[in-house]
Amino acid sequence: MPTLNDIRSTFLNYFDKQGHEVVASSPLVPRNDPTLMFVNSGMVQFKNLFTGVETRDYQRATTAQKCVRAGGKHNDLDNVGYTARHHTFFEMLGNFSFGDYFKPEAIPFAWELITKEFGIDKNRLLATVYHTDEEAFEIWKKVGVPEDRIIRIATSDNFWQMGPTGPCGPCTEIFYDHGDHIWGGPPGSPEEDGDRFIEIWNIVFMQNEQFEDGSMVKLDMQSIDTGMGLERIGALLQGSHDNYDTDLFKTLIEASANATNVDPYGDQNVHHRVIADHLRSTSFLIADGVMPSNDGRGYVLRRIMRRAMRHAHLLGAKDPVMHRLVPTLVQLMGAQYSELGQAQALIEETLLLEETRFKQTLDRGLKLLDDEVANLPEGAALDGDAAFKLYDTYGFPLDLTQDALREKGRIVDTDGFDAAMAEQKAKARAAWSGSGEAADLVVWFDVLDTAGATDFLGYDTEKAEGQV
Ligand code: ATP
Ligand code: MG
Ligand code: MG
Ligand code: MG
């Protein structure tokens, strides 16, 4: 059975043989791109090649790209622990053409790789196309996909965009049917979010550019951008529909089980999954220079870390756990990503420090939360003041409180939370103005106002996008 490391190599070698330059993953923090919080797909490092702003000495490339989807247009933070196919950190395998080949080559490349090299059963595969894309439909028919397994989709699912601006275009996607013992329906059906039909590969026909004012133009070049989740194709080739059943995740989940002394596959399994997932995003973000903080990227990192720590707490861990799992991750992924080994000590220290600090308030915060919920009327939301107290006094990011409440079928009154936050800011401002402190401290509040309140940046990632 091929490991994730084997599959990554097979992919890159295949496209290498087809004349693609094998390019290293870019760091998770986008260079010179204020529109994006973290790299969320393989195309990000090539953005300017699609628009023609930049050219290189190759027109075909292939990568295994580190991605984080924990904010902005593509945000999977709330899916982790709930679906079998989403991570906050994952690797996207991709092949790219910059004004070189287009649809007639891109579709057969993908088909050959998955049906011949990987040997996946054709009868379990389906393709979706953008509803007006007859050309893609015909090419799928030509490679041998029966018409009833080519589904036309009119929604944004088949029109791919990295974020609010940038190169984009219609796409075609490949799905695998894991069988009717798993709940879910084909793409376009009301049950598509189940785990039976899993999207494995997206092939984007890059031909447009979206601008901030809402306008979209056709690019001079026609290009290809594809993305296949390594963990998803890995699960499939290892005989499962579940990314967390892959060799890599099993090893991480077992490490979490050893560190906490809780059965890896019992009813606490979900906590191990979240810990394994968040360990990867946290470690890779630190390795790429992000440190936990109270705003911007650093606050997203802190939120992910604290979410993981709550799950470790639910497993009964008395002492910090996360830092103890880092050596296993380095063993698994350090050969491909040397930055991980180089930053190992920093990752461990950062996790230990953050977990030690948060432990001081986590237990008491969770107790307060339980008490509040116990007193809530049936179906009522947690009031904003309580959520704000958890944030302000106990260091609970709003999304952590929401994550904890979701398990109990509750939500937070977020308007109330915003109001409590605004009120505290107003009070702080009044206190500073009246205190006779140096004028520059008062000015600091004005800067906060014009730059956007940084406390809000971290959890409201829609707002954060474009501001970092
Ligand atoms: P989904 O509909 O399952 O959320 P997506 O349409 O958002 O996936 P794309 O933006 O098309 O995903 O990304 C290309 C590929 O990257 C997907 O086909 C999938 O294989 C993989 N992928 C996307 N999001 C994740 C994730 N959060 N974790 C793991 N793999 C992912
Ligand atoms: Mg998605
Ligand atoms: Mg999708
Ligand atoms: Mg997709």
Side-chain angles (χ1 to χ4, degrees):
M1 208 156 54
T3 62
L4 294 197
N5 284 331
D6 298 333
I7 296 165
R8 187 194 303 110
S9 300
T10 306
F11 184 95
L12 296 173
N13 287 340
Y14 174 82
F15 282 105
D16 186 10
K17 272 187 282 164
Q18 312 292 343
H20 293 62
E21 178 89 6
V22 181
V23 178
S25 171
S26 73
L28 284 166
V29 177
R31 291 190 197 110
N32 306 324
D33 193 340
T35 68
L36 198 63
M37 173 118 11
F38 299 120
V39 168
N40 60 9
S41 55
M43 59 76 72
V44 173
Q45 67 164 320
F46 301 119
K47 213 173 124 178
N48 290 338
L49 278 88
F50 293 118
T51 52
V53 170
E54 188 193 334
T55 51
R56 298 202 187 150
D57 56 5
Y58 51 81
Q59 277 188 289
R60 297 176 173 203
T62 183
T63 58
Q65 173 66 48
K66 300 182 282 187
C67 296
V68 166
R69 292 192 173 183
K73 184 167 169 50
H74 298 275
N75 184 357
D76 289 320
L77 190 52
D78 289 328
N79 285 326
V80 174
Y82 290 91
T83 73
R85 71 181 195 279
H86 288 108
H87 305 297
T88 52
F89 170 94
F90 65 100
E91 286 179 81
M92 194 184 280
L93 303 170
N95 58 292
F96 307 90
S97 146
F98 313 110
D100 189 40
Y101 62 85
F102 201 47
K103 296 178 194 180
E105 295 83 11
I107 290 174
F109 276 157
W111 189 249
E112 183 181 70
L113 177 61
I114 57 177
T115 59
K116 297 222 174 83
E117 296 268 331
F118 288 144
I120 294 171
D121 180 359
K122 287 179 190 170
N123 300 320
R124 292 205 170 234
L125 293 167
L126 293 87
T128 63
V129 296
Y130 195 54
H131 64 133
T132 52
D133 194 347
E134 285 309 314
E135 189 188 354
F137 193 96
E138 289 305 316
I139 299 169
W140 279 120
K141 260 172 57 185
K142 226 170 107 189
V143 298
V145 181
E147 266 183 56
D148 63 351
R149 301 180 77 87
I150 312 171
I151 303 171
R152 297 178 213 265
I153 302 270
T155 67
S156 62
D157 274 351
N158 278 61
F159 193 94
W160 201 87
Q161 290 182 282
M162 171 195 96
T165 60
C168 52
C171 62
T172 181
E173 297 194 314
I174 303 173
F175 285 72
Y176 183 84
D177 178 1
H178 283 274
D180 60 12
H181 60 291
I182 300 162
W183 183 82
S189 76
E191 299 85 28
E192 72 176 331
D193 269 339
D195 286 326
R196 174 174 168 186
F197 292 85
I198 289 195
E199 174 189 326
I200 53 173
W201 203 345
N202 186 354
I203 300 163
V204 184
F205 309 124
M206 284 291 182
Q207 53 186 38
N208 305 93
E209 185 170 5
Q210 171 83 53
F211 293 97
E212 218 174 314
D213 64 6
S215 64
M216 191 187 287
V217 299
K218 213 160 173 105
L219 291 165
D220 295 335
M221 289 190 320
Q222 292 186 317
S223 298
I224 292 292
D225 152 36
T226 87
M228 171 157 65
L230 172 62
E231 301 77 4
R232 290 193 194 176
I233 184 76
L236 209 170
L237 295 177
Q238 294 179 11
S240 172
H241 71 284
D242 188 339
N243 288 13
Y244 294 85
D245 280 345
T246 51
D247 60 293
L248 184 134
F249 270 96
K250 273 192 193 147
T251 311
L252 291 177
I253 285 172
E254 271 150 28
S256 166
N258 286 336
T260 54
N261 244 329
V262 178
D263 178 3
Y265 302 109
D267 55 5
Q268 306 279 60
N269 173 242
V270 61
H271 305 307
H272 292 305
R273 288 170 169 247
V274 177
I275 288 170
D277 175 87
H278 290 7
L279 173 75
R280 291 212 308 168
S281 44
T282 299
S283 303
F284 274 96
L285 283 171
I286 297 171
D288 279 346
V290 183
M291 290 298 278
S293 71
N294 283 333
D295 56 28
R297 297 188 170 103
Y299 193 54
V300 178
L301 170 61
R302 173 163 281 164
R303 287 162 47 214
I304 300 173
M305 291 170 108
R306 292 193 172 175
R307 282 171 89 119
M309 288 161 193
R310 188 182 71 88
H311 285 276
H313 174 93
L314 294 177
L315 289 173
K318 296 272 174 288
D319 298 311
V321 166
M322 297 298 287
H323 68 288
R324 291 172 54 199
L325 311 179
V326 177
T328 309
L329 179 64
V330 175
Q331 252 164 36
L332 289 164
M333 300 189 72
Q336 175 73 13
Y337 298 105
S338 59
E339 64 273 31
L340 210 54
Q342 278 155 18
Q344 182 170 348
L346 177 67
I347 298 167
E348 290 175 2
E349 281 159 23
T350 309
L351 277 164
L352 178 58
L353 187 66
E354 188 79 7
E355 198 166 356
T356 306
R357 277 194 195 143
F358 190 45
K359 273 220 164 287
Q360 295 167 4
T361 56
L362 177 63
D363 298 11
R364 280 183 293 140
L366 287 174
K367 264 192 211 93
L368 174 79
L369 184 60
D370 283 344
D371 292 346
E372 289 283 343
V373 172
N375 292 327
L376 278 184
E378 186 90 14
L382 180 74
D383 66 82
D385 285 336
F388 185 71
K389 185 170 182 196
L390 285 167
Y391 166 84
D392 199 37
T393 311
Y394 299 95
F396 280 35
L398 178 63
D399 71 289
L400 183 141
T401 303
Q402 289 171 317
D403 190 35
L405 286 172
R406 185 171 169 187
E407 292 158 9
K408 307 174 200 291
R410 302 276 190 169
I411 55 167
V412 179
D413 167 14
T414 48
D415 288 343
F417 179 87
D418 289 347
M421 175 82 89
E423 193 186 323
Q424 200 218 37
K425 285 221 162 80
K427 271 194 204 143
R429 184 193 309 262
W432 278 116
S433 329
S435 69
E437 286 285 343
D440 56 347
L441 284 174
V442 178
V443 169
W444 182 74
F445 284 104
D446 296 333
V447 172
L448 259 187
D449 279 348
T450 27
T454 48
D455 300 50
F456 281 88
L457 272 179
Y459 67 84
D460 188 341
T461 43
E462 288 304 331
K463 266 187 229 156
E465 206 77 352
Q467 286 189 19
V468 287

